[in-house]
PDB file of all heavy atoms in Angstrom:
ATOM      1  N   SER A   1     -14.379 -13.988  -9.545  1.00 77.00           N
ATOM      2  CA  SER A   1     -15.301 -13.582  -8.446  1.00 77.00           C
ATOM      3  C   SER A   1     -14.765 -12.315  -7.703  1.00 77.00           C
ATOM      4  O   SER A   1     -13.525 -12.010  -7.854  1.00 77.00           O
ATOM      5  CB  SER A   1     -15.526 -14.650  -7.414  1.00 77.00           C
ATOM      6  OG  SER A   1     -14.298 -14.879  -6.679  1.00 77.00           O
ATOM      7  N   LEU A   2     -15.630 -11.624  -6.953  1.00 82.00           N
ATOM      8  CA  LEU A   2     -15.196 -10.433  -6.267  1.00 82.00           C
ATOM      9  C   LEU A   2     -14.068 -10.836  -5.122  1.00 82.00           C
ATOM     10  O   LEU A   2     -13.127 -10.135  -4.881  1.00 82.00           O
ATOM     11  CB  LEU A   2     -16.322  -9.800  -5.438  1.00 82.00           C
ATOM     12  CG  LEU A   2     -16.125  -8.517  -4.787  1.00 82.00           C
ATOM     13  CD1 LEU A   2     -15.567  -7.464  -5.647  1.00 82.00           C
ATOM     14  CD2 LEU A   2     -17.298  -8.059  -3.984  1.00 82.00           C
ATOM     15  N   LEU A   3     -14.206 -12.037  -4.538  1.00 83.00           N
ATOM     16  CA  LEU A   3     -13.231 -12.526  -3.514  1.00 83.00           C
ATOM     17  C   LEU A   3     -11.881 -12.742  -4.242  1.00 83.00           C
ATOM     18  O   LEU A   3     -10.859 -12.353  -3.766  1.00 83.00           O
ATOM     19  CB  LEU A   3     -13.624 -13.781  -2.851  1.00 83.00           C
ATOM     20  CG  LEU A   3     -12.768 -14.426  -1.896  1.00 83.00           C
ATOM     21  CD1 LEU A   3     -12.440 -13.360  -0.641  1.00 83.00           C
ATOM     22  CD2 LEU A   3     -13.250 -15.705  -1.315  1.00 83.00           C
ATOM     23  N   GLU A   4     -11.929 -13.350  -5.347  1.00 81.00           N
ATOM     24  CA  GLU A   4     -10.617 -13.590  -6.145  1.00 81.00           C
ATOM     25  C   GLU A   4     -10.065 -12.247  -6.571  1.00 81.00           C
ATOM     26  O   GLU A   4      -8.811 -12.134  -6.479  1.00 81.00           O
ATOM     27  CB  GLU A   4     -10.928 -14.503  -7.394  1.00 81.00           C
ATOM     28  CG  GLU A   4     -11.308 -15.881  -7.099  1.00 81.00           C
ATOM     29  CD  GLU A   4     -11.859 -16.631  -8.422  1.00 81.00           C
ATOM     30  OE1 GLU A   4     -12.400 -15.976  -9.229  1.00 81.00           O
ATOM     31  OE2 GLU A   4     -11.630 -17.872  -8.438  1.00 81.00           O
ATOM     32  N   LEU A   5     -10.800 -11.395  -6.966  1.00 85.00           N
ATOM     33  CA  LEU A   5     -10.270 -10.118  -7.333  1.00 85.00           C
ATOM     34  C   LEU A   5      -9.647  -9.380  -6.152  1.00 85.00           C
ATOM     35  O   LEU A   5      -8.619  -8.771  -6.261  1.00 85.00           O
ATOM     36  CB  LEU A   5     -11.438  -9.274  -8.002  1.00 85.00           C
ATOM     37  CG  LEU A   5     -11.010  -7.778  -8.584  1.00 85.00           C
ATOM     38  CD1 LEU A   5      -9.881  -8.030  -9.582  1.00 85.00           C
ATOM     39  CD2 LEU A   5     -12.183  -7.212  -9.162  1.00 85.00           C
ATOM     40  N   PHE A   6     -10.277  -9.386  -5.063  1.00 87.00           N
ATOM     41  CA  PHE A   6      -9.804  -8.839  -3.755  1.00 87.00           C
ATOM     42  C   PHE A   6      -8.487  -9.410  -3.441  1.00 87.00           C
ATOM     43  O   PHE A   6      -7.529  -8.675  -3.077  1.00 87.00           O
ATOM     44  CB  PHE A   6     -10.800  -8.987  -2.680  1.00 87.00           C
ATOM     45  CG  PHE A   6     -10.297  -8.431  -1.348  1.00 87.00           C
ATOM     46  CD1 PHE A   6     -10.229  -6.958  -1.219  1.00 87.00           C
ATOM     47  CD2 PHE A   6      -9.873  -9.204  -0.302  1.00 87.00           C
ATOM     48  CE1 PHE A   6      -9.790  -6.462   0.015  1.00 87.00           C
ATOM     49  CE2 PHE A   6      -9.406  -8.797   0.861  1.00 87.00           C
ATOM     50  CZ  PHE A   6      -9.406  -7.341   1.089  1.00 87.00           C
ATOM     51  N   VAL A   7      -8.411 -10.719  -3.400  1.00 84.00           N
ATOM     52  CA  VAL A   7      -7.110 -11.368  -3.132  1.00 84.00           C
ATOM     53  C   VAL A   7      -5.955 -10.976  -4.052  1.00 84.00           C
ATOM     54  O   VAL A   7      -4.874 -10.605  -3.647  1.00 84.00           O
ATOM     55  CB  VAL A   7      -7.208 -12.879  -3.099  1.00 84.00           C
ATOM     56  CG1 VAL A   7      -6.004 -13.680  -3.041  1.00 84.00           C
ATOM     57  CG2 VAL A   7      -8.170 -13.383  -1.960  1.00 84.00           C
ATOM     58  N   LEU A   8      -6.365 -10.862  -5.277  1.00 83.00           N
ATOM     59  CA  LEU A   8      -5.431 -10.411  -6.334  1.00 83.00           C
ATOM     60  C   LEU A   8      -4.971  -9.023  -6.126  1.00 83.00           C
ATOM     61  O   LEU A   8      -3.804  -8.629  -6.161  1.00 83.00           O
ATOM     62  CB  LEU A   8      -5.998 -10.547  -7.765  1.00 83.00           C
ATOM     63  CG  LEU A   8      -5.174  -9.973  -8.965  1.00 83.00           C
ATOM     64  CD1 LEU A   8      -3.861 -10.762  -9.102  1.00 83.00           C
ATOM     65  CD2 LEU A   8      -6.108  -9.963 -10.139  1.00 83.00           C
ATOM     66  N   ALA A   9      -5.971  -8.069  -5.734  1.00 87.00           N
ATOM     67  CA  ALA A   9      -5.722  -6.666  -5.551  1.00 87.00           C
ATOM     68  C   ALA A   9      -4.697  -6.620  -4.220  1.00 87.00           C
ATOM     69  O   ALA A   9      -3.825  -5.747  -4.316  1.00 87.00           O
ATOM     70  CB  ALA A   9      -6.986  -5.907  -5.299  1.00 87.00           C
ATOM     71  N   VAL A  10      -5.039  -7.301  -3.300  1.00 86.00           N
ATOM     72  CA  VAL A  10      -4.162  -7.232  -1.990  1.00 86.00           C
ATOM     73  C   VAL A  10      -2.824  -7.748  -2.383  1.00 86.00           C
ATOM     74  O   VAL A  10      -1.776  -7.129  -1.963  1.00 86.00           O
ATOM     75  CB  VAL A  10      -4.753  -8.084  -0.880  1.00 86.00           C
ATOM     76  CG1 VAL A  10      -3.714  -8.354   0.275  1.00 86.00           C
ATOM     77  CG2 VAL A  10      -6.030  -7.484  -0.327  1.00 86.00           C
ATOM     78  N   GLY A  11      -2.659  -8.859  -3.149  1.00 83.00           N
ATOM     79  CA  GLY A  11      -1.309  -9.340  -3.499  1.00 83.00           C
ATOM     80  C   GLY A  11      -0.630  -8.281  -4.326  1.00 83.00           C
ATOM     81  O   GLY A  11       0.646  -7.961  -4.121  1.00 83.00           O
ATOM     82  N   LEU A  12      -1.225  -7.580  -5.337  1.00 83.00           N
ATOM     83  CA  LEU A  12      -0.580  -6.602  -6.070  1.00 83.00           C
ATOM     84  C   LEU A  12      -0.182  -5.449  -5.366  1.00 83.00           C
ATOM     85  O   LEU A  12       0.820  -4.746  -5.542  1.00 83.00           O
ATOM     86  CB  LEU A  12      -1.489  -6.222  -7.242  1.00 83.00           C
ATOM     87  CG  LEU A  12      -1.658  -7.268  -8.428  1.00 83.00           C
ATOM     88  CD1 LEU A  12      -2.745  -6.744  -9.382  1.00 83.00           C
ATOM     89  CD2 LEU A  12      -0.468  -7.464  -9.165  1.00 83.00           C
ATOM     90  N   SER A  13      -0.954  -5.067  -4.240  1.00 86.00           N
ATOM     91  CA  SER A  13      -0.628  -3.906  -3.528  1.00 86.00           C
ATOM     92  C   SER A  13       0.425  -4.059  -2.493  1.00 86.00           C
ATOM     93  O   SER A  13       0.853  -3.041  -1.861  1.00 86.00           O
ATOM     94  CB  SER A  13      -1.996  -3.428  -2.809  1.00 86.00           C
ATOM     95  OG  SER A  13      -2.383  -4.248  -1.767  1.00 86.00           O
ATOM     96  N   MET A  14       0.902  -5.246  -2.217  1.00 85.00           N
ATOM     97  CA  MET A  14       1.917  -5.499  -1.220  1.00 85.00           C
ATOM     98  C   MET A  14       3.197  -4.736  -1.470  1.00 85.00           C
ATOM     99  O   MET A  14       3.825  -4.175  -0.529  1.00 85.00           O
ATOM    100  CB  MET A  14       2.054  -6.927  -0.861  1.00 85.00           C
ATOM    101  CG  MET A  14       0.985  -7.616  -0.172  1.00 85.00           C
ATOM    102  SD  MET A  14       0.713  -6.896   1.533  1.00 85.00           S
ATOM    103  CE  MET A  14      -0.741  -5.966   1.312  1.00 85.00           C
ATOM    104  N   ASP A  15       3.702  -4.791  -2.703  1.00 82.00           N
ATOM    105  CA  ASP A  15       4.884  -4.031  -3.050  1.00 82.00           C
ATOM    106  C   ASP A  15       4.716  -2.522  -2.775  1.00 82.00           C
ATOM    107  O   ASP A  15       5.565  -1.929  -2.212  1.00 82.00           O
ATOM    108  CB  ASP A  15       5.307  -4.203  -4.541  1.00 82.00           C
ATOM    109  CG  ASP A  15       5.920  -5.681  -4.712  1.00 82.00           C
ATOM    110  OD1 ASP A  15       6.156  -6.379  -3.909  1.00 82.00           O
ATOM    111  OD2 ASP A  15       6.036  -5.920  -6.002  1.00 82.00           O
ATOM    112  N   ALA A  16       3.500  -2.022  -3.193  1.00 88.00           N
ATOM    113  CA  ALA A  16       3.221  -0.624  -2.976  1.00 88.00           C
ATOM    114  C   ALA A  16       3.231  -0.289  -1.481  1.00 88.00           C
ATOM    115  O   ALA A  16       3.656   0.744  -1.009  1.00 88.00           O
ATOM    116  CB  ALA A  16       2.008  -0.248  -3.739  1.00 88.00           C
ATOM    117  N   PHE A  17       2.580  -1.156  -0.747  1.00 89.00           N
ATOM    118  CA  PHE A  17       2.536  -0.993   0.761  1.00 89.00           C
ATOM    119  C   PHE A  17       3.916  -1.008   1.323  1.00 89.00           C
ATOM    120  O   PHE A  17       4.221  -0.127   2.214  1.00 89.00           O
ATOM    121  CB  PHE A  17       1.732  -2.205   1.322  1.00 89.00           C
ATOM    122  CG  PHE A  17       1.669  -2.098   2.936  1.00 89.00           C
ATOM    123  CD1 PHE A  17       0.898  -1.296   3.492  1.00 89.00           C
ATOM    124  CD2 PHE A  17       2.443  -3.095   3.599  1.00 89.00           C
ATOM    125  CE1 PHE A  17       0.860  -1.157   4.889  1.00 89.00           C
ATOM    126  CE2 PHE A  17       2.378  -2.996   4.943  1.00 89.00           C
ATOM    127  CZ  PHE A  17       1.620  -2.082   5.697  1.00 89.00           C
ATOM    128  N   ALA A  18       4.775  -1.860   0.902  1.00 85.00           N
ATOM    129  CA  ALA A  18       6.210  -1.874   1.560  1.00 85.00           C
ATOM    130  C   ALA A  18       6.872  -0.689   1.120  1.00 85.00           C
ATOM    131  O   ALA A  18       7.661  -0.099   2.115  1.00 85.00           O
ATOM    132  CB  ALA A  18       6.880  -3.194   0.949  1.00 85.00           C
ATOM    133  N   VAL A  19       6.775  -0.188  -0.081  1.00 87.00           N
ATOM    134  CA  VAL A  19       7.508   0.978  -0.526  1.00 87.00           C
ATOM    135  C   VAL A  19       6.883   2.192   0.221  1.00 87.00           C
ATOM    136  O   VAL A  19       7.652   3.083   0.608  1.00 87.00           O
ATOM    137  CB  VAL A  19       7.419   1.213  -2.049  1.00 87.00           C
ATOM    138  CG1 VAL A  19       7.984   2.525  -2.419  1.00 87.00           C
ATOM    139  CG2 VAL A  19       8.239   0.057  -2.667  1.00 87.00           C
ATOM    140  N   SER A  20       5.554   2.194   0.394  1.00 89.00           N
ATOM    141  CA  SER A  20       4.949   3.415   1.123  1.00 89.00           C
ATOM    142  C   SER A  20       5.424   3.451   2.569  1.00 89.00           C
ATOM    143  O   SER A  20       5.682   4.461   3.174  1.00 89.00           O
ATOM    144  CB  SER A  20       3.396   3.213   1.221  1.00 89.00           C
ATOM    145  OG  SER A  20       2.847   3.325  -0.166  1.00 89.00           O
ATOM    146  N   VAL A  21       5.598   2.242   3.304  1.00 87.00           N
ATOM    147  CA  VAL A  21       6.140   2.221   4.605  1.00 87.00           C
ATOM    148  C   VAL A  21       7.508   2.883   4.538  1.00 87.00           C
ATOM    149  O   VAL A  21       7.909   3.647   5.336  1.00 87.00           O
ATOM    150  CB  VAL A  21       6.170   0.725   5.193  1.00 87.00           C
ATOM    151  CG1 VAL A  21       7.005   0.751   6.432  1.00 87.00           C
ATOM    152  CG2 VAL A  21       4.768   0.208   5.406  1.00 87.00           C
ATOM    153  N   CYS A  22       8.389   2.549   3.497  1.00 82.00           N
ATOM    154  CA  CYS A  22       9.805   2.998   3.346  1.00 82.00           C
ATOM    155  C   CYS A  22       9.683   4.496   3.196  1.00 82.00           C
ATOM    156  O   CYS A  22      10.497   5.226   3.730  1.00 82.00           O
ATOM    157  CB  CYS A  22      10.443   2.360   2.234  1.00 82.00           C
ATOM    158  SG  CYS A  22      10.754   0.585   2.461  1.00 82.00           S
ATOM    159  N   LYS A  23       8.698   5.039   2.411  1.00 86.00           N
ATOM    160  CA  LYS A  23       8.597   6.415   2.157  1.00 86.00           C
ATOM    161  C   LYS A  23       8.220   7.165   3.447  1.00 86.00           C
ATOM    162  O   LYS A  23       8.762   8.212   3.873  1.00 86.00           O
ATOM    163  CB  LYS A  23       7.477   6.822   1.189  1.00 86.00           C
ATOM    164  CG  LYS A  23       7.863   6.384  -0.270  1.00 86.00           C
ATOM    165  CD  LYS A  23       9.092   6.942  -0.797  1.00 86.00           C
ATOM    166  CE  LYS A  23       8.832   8.394  -1.274  1.00 86.00           C
ATOM    167  NZ  LYS A  23      10.134   8.918  -1.889  1.00 86.00           N
ATOM    168  N   GLY A  24       7.275   6.572   4.324  1.00 85.00           N
ATOM    169  CA  GLY A  24       7.036   7.067   5.564  1.00 85.00           C
ATOM    170  C   GLY A  24       8.132   7.097   6.546  1.00 85.00           C
ATOM    171  O   GLY A  24       8.328   7.977   7.355  1.00 85.00           O
ATOM    172  N   LEU A  25       8.973   6.108   6.527  1.00 80.00           N
ATOM    173  CA  LEU A  25      10.189   6.005   7.273  1.00 80.00           C
ATOM    174  C   LEU A  25      11.109   7.095   7.058  1.00 80.00           C
ATOM    175  O   LEU A  25      11.814   7.600   7.936  1.00 80.00           O
ATOM    176  CB  LEU A  25      10.795   4.660   7.099  1.00 80.00           C
ATOM    177  CG  LEU A  25      10.177   3.439   7.631  1.00 80.00           C
ATOM    178  CD1 LEU A  25      10.978   2.150   7.157  1.00 80.00           C
ATOM    179  CD2 LEU A  25      10.194   3.372   9.143  1.00 80.00           C
ATOM    180  N   GLY A  26      11.280   7.518   5.770  1.00 74.00           N
ATOM    181  CA  GLY A  26      12.275   8.397   5.435  1.00 74.00           C
ATOM    182  C   GLY A  26      12.020   9.835   5.503  1.00 74.00           C
ATOM    183  O   GLY A  26      12.959  10.669   5.307  1.00 74.00           O
ATOM    184  N   VAL A  27      10.857  10.315   5.984  1.00 77.00           N
ATOM    185  CA  VAL A  27      10.510  11.778   6.000  1.00 77.00           C
ATOM    186  C   VAL A  27      10.299  12.071   7.535  1.00 77.00           C
ATOM    187  O   VAL A  27      10.051  11.287   8.390  1.00 77.00           O
ATOM    188  CB  VAL A  27       9.309  12.077   5.168  1.00 77.00           C
ATOM    189  CG1 VAL A  27       9.631  11.862   3.746  1.00 77.00           C
ATOM    190  CG2 VAL A  27       8.074  11.358   5.560  1.00 77.00           C
ATOM    191  N   GLY A  28      10.533  13.383   7.840  1.00 72.00           N
ATOM    192  CA  GLY A  28      10.266  13.957   9.031  1.00 72.00           C
ATOM    193  C   GLY A  28       8.802  13.829   9.526  1.00 72.00           C
ATOM    194  O   GLY A  28       8.527  13.206  10.502  1.00 72.00           O
ATOM    195  N   ARG A  29       7.957  14.320   8.752  1.00 78.00           N
ATOM    196  CA  ARG A  29       6.551  14.228   9.007  1.00 78.00           C
ATOM    197  C   ARG A  29       5.785  13.971   7.731  1.00 78.00           C
ATOM    198  O   ARG A  29       6.055  14.489   6.753  1.00 78.00           O
ATOM    199  CB  ARG A  29       6.061  15.586   9.555  1.00 78.00           C
ATOM    200  CG  ARG A  29       6.581  15.956  10.952  1.00 78.00           C
ATOM    201  CD  ARG A  29       5.862  17.060  11.542  1.00 78.00           C
ATOM    202  NE  ARG A  29       6.512  17.457  12.782  1.00 78.00           N
ATOM    203  CZ  ARG A  29       6.181  16.893  13.995  1.00 78.00           C
ATOM    204  NH1 ARG A  29       5.391  15.950  14.048  1.00 78.00           N
ATOM    205  NH2 ARG A  29       6.887  17.277  15.113  1.00 78.00           N
ATOM    206  N   ALA A  30       4.801  13.063   7.844  1.00 81.00           N
ATOM    207  CA  ALA A  30       4.021  12.753   6.566  1.00 81.00           C
ATOM    208  C   ALA A  30       2.564  12.948   7.092  1.00 81.00           C
ATOM    209  O   ALA A  30       2.001  12.176   7.930  1.00 81.00           O
ATOM    210  CB  ALA A  30       4.201  11.363   6.192  1.00 81.00           C
ATOM    211  N   GLY A  31       1.877  14.066   6.470  1.00 86.00           N
ATOM    212  CA  GLY A  31       0.477  14.192   6.776  1.00 86.00           C
ATOM    213  C   GLY A  31      -0.398  13.623   5.792  1.00 86.00           C
ATOM    214  O   GLY A  31      -0.021  12.716   4.987  1.00 86.00           O
ATOM    215  N   ALA A  32      -1.715  14.062   5.780  1.00 91.00           N
ATOM    216  CA  ALA A  32      -2.613  13.590   4.859  1.00 91.00           C
ATOM    217  C   ALA A  32      -2.284  13.901   3.439  1.00 91.00           C
ATOM    218  O   ALA A  32      -2.521  12.938   2.525  1.00 91.00           O
ATOM    219  CB  ALA A  32      -4.083  14.210   5.111  1.00 91.00           C
ATOM    220  N   ARG A  33      -1.618  14.902   3.175  1.00 90.00           N
ATOM    221  CA  ARG A  33      -1.175  15.259   1.708  1.00 90.00           C
ATOM    222  C   ARG A  33      -0.268  14.198   1.208  1.00 90.00           C
ATOM    223  O   ARG A  33      -0.350  13.677   0.245  1.00 90.00           O
ATOM    224  CB  ARG A  33      -0.615  16.714   1.715  1.00 90.00           C
ATOM    225  CG  ARG A  33      -0.192  17.070   0.380  1.00 90.00           C
ATOM    226  CD  ARG A  33       0.540  18.490   0.398  1.00 90.00           C
ATOM    227  NE  ARG A  33       1.019  18.906  -0.876  1.00 90.00           N
ATOM    228  CZ  ARG A  33       2.171  18.617  -1.347  1.00 90.00           C
ATOM    229  NH1 ARG A  33       3.015  17.904  -0.645  1.00 90.00           N
ATOM    230  NH2 ARG A  33       2.525  19.009  -2.573  1.00 90.00           N
ATOM    231  N   GLU A  34       0.751  13.872   1.978  1.00 90.00           N
ATOM    232  CA  GLU A  34       1.764  12.992   1.596  1.00 90.00           C
ATOM    233  C   GLU A  34       1.210  11.543   1.506  1.00 90.00           C
ATOM    234  O   GLU A  34       1.603  10.780   0.532  1.00 90.00           O
ATOM    235  CB  GLU A  34       3.033  12.970   2.565  1.00 90.00           C
ATOM    236  CG  GLU A  34       3.856  14.202   2.529  1.00 90.00           C
ATOM    237  CD  GLU A  34       3.232  15.389   3.282  1.00 90.00           C
ATOM    238  OE1 GLU A  34       2.330  15.178   4.150  1.00 90.00           O
ATOM    239  OE2 GLU A  34       3.635  16.562   2.909  1.00 90.00           O
TER     240      GLU A  34
END
C-alpha cells in the first residue's frame, strides 16, 4: 500500500537525513544549491 511504501521510504531516508544534518553542520554556509 501507499502507506506501507511511505513508512518504508521514511525508514530508508533516515540515514541520509542524519548524514545530511552532519553535512550541514560541517560547512560555513549551505544555501539552496548545497
Side-chain angles (χ1 to χ4, degrees):
S1 72
L2 187 60
L3 179 61
E4 290 171 326
L5 187 57
F6 178 73
V7 170
L8 175 66
V10 169
L12 287 174
S13 68
M14 285 298 104
D15 285 350
F17 175 75
V19 173
S20 295
V21 170
C22 294
K23 294 302 282 182
L25 287 171
V27 295
R29 293 192 187 275
R33 179 181 179 275
E34 290 77 21

